[in-house]
Amino acid sequence: MRHRKAGVKLNRTSSHRDAMFRNMVTSMIKHGQIRTTDVKAKELRRWVDKMITLAKRGDLHARRQALAVIREKDVVHRLFAEAKERFGHRAGGYTRIVKLGHRPGDAAPMAMIEFVDPALAGSADTAEA
C-alpha cells in the first residue's frame, strides 16, 4: 500500500526525478509554460505551486529554500520580484494544465502546463521539455 507517500515515481531513481523536476521548474518559471507528458505536468504543478508560495512569502529563508530547488539566481530573483504582485490575491492554484492529445511516437498523453496569470510568462516563446 502507498499510504502517506506523496509524489510519483515515474520509473526513475530519486536523484534523477529530483533533477528532472528542478529543471522543469526552472524552465516553467523562465518561459511561462512548457509542454510535457500529462503525469509529469500534474507532478510539476506541486513543485511550481510550492515555489510561488515561497516567493509570496518573500523573506530570506524562503529565498534560500527556493535557491535549493531552482539553482539559477536570476530565475529566483525574477520569481521573487514578480510573484507577489501577480499572485498576491490568489490562495493557490497558480498553474493550469491543458491536455494536448497523444504524442505520435509512443502515444503518451501530452499536456501543456502554464501559469494562470499570463503576465508572469516572460516571453512569447514556449519551451519543450
Side-chain angles (χ1 to χ4, degrees), residues 12 35-38 40 100-111 129:
R12 288 164 169 80
R35 184 174 172 265
T36 183
T37 62
D38 193 28
K40 287 180 193 171
L100 297 176
H102 295 280
R103 186 164 49 198
D106 59 354
M110 297 299 287

Side-chain angles (χ1 to χ4, degrees), residues 78-118:
R78 180 171 161 235
L79 173 68
F80 274 68
E82 296 178 1
K84 192 162 221 161
E85 62 192 35
R86 304 282 186 209
F87 298 110
H89 63 283
R90 198 177 271 277
Y94 310 112
T95 56
R96 82 167 54 95
I97 295 175
V98 179
K99 309 274 179 142
L100 297 176
H102 295 280
R103 186 164 49 198
D106 59 354
M110 297 299 287
M112 182 177 65
I113 181 169
E114 61 187 0
F115 288 112
V116 173
D117 186 7

Side-chain angles (χ1 to χ4, degrees), residues 25 28-29 32 44-59 62 65-66 69-70 75-76 78-96 113-117 120-121:
V25 168
M28 174 77 182
I29 294 168
L44 179 64
R45 179 174 44 192
R46 292 178 62 232
W47 286 67
V48 172
D49 285 354
K50 184 173 181 179
M51 292 301 108
I52 292 176
T53 303
L54 287 174
K56 281 174 56 177
R57 209 170 74 202
D59 57 349
Q65 285 178 320
V69 173
I70 296 176
V75 175
V76 173
R78 180 171 161 235
L79 173 68
F80 274 68
E82 296 178 1
K84 192 162 221 161
E85 62 192 35
R86 304 282 186 209
F87 298 110
H89 63 283
R90 198 177 271 277
Y94 310 112
T95 56
R96 82 167 54 95
I113 181 169
E114 61 187 0
F115 288 112
V116 173
D117 186 7
L120 191 60

Side-chain angles (χ1 to χ4, degrees), residues 2 5-7 12 14 16 45 55 66 73-74 77 83 93-94 98-99 107 118 120 127:
R2 289 197 76 238
K5 304 223 183 304
R12 288 164 169 80
S14 60
H16 182 194
R45 179 174 44 192
K73 289 184 181 180
D74 55 340
H77 178 69
Y94 310 112
V98 179
K99 309 274 179 142
L120 191 60

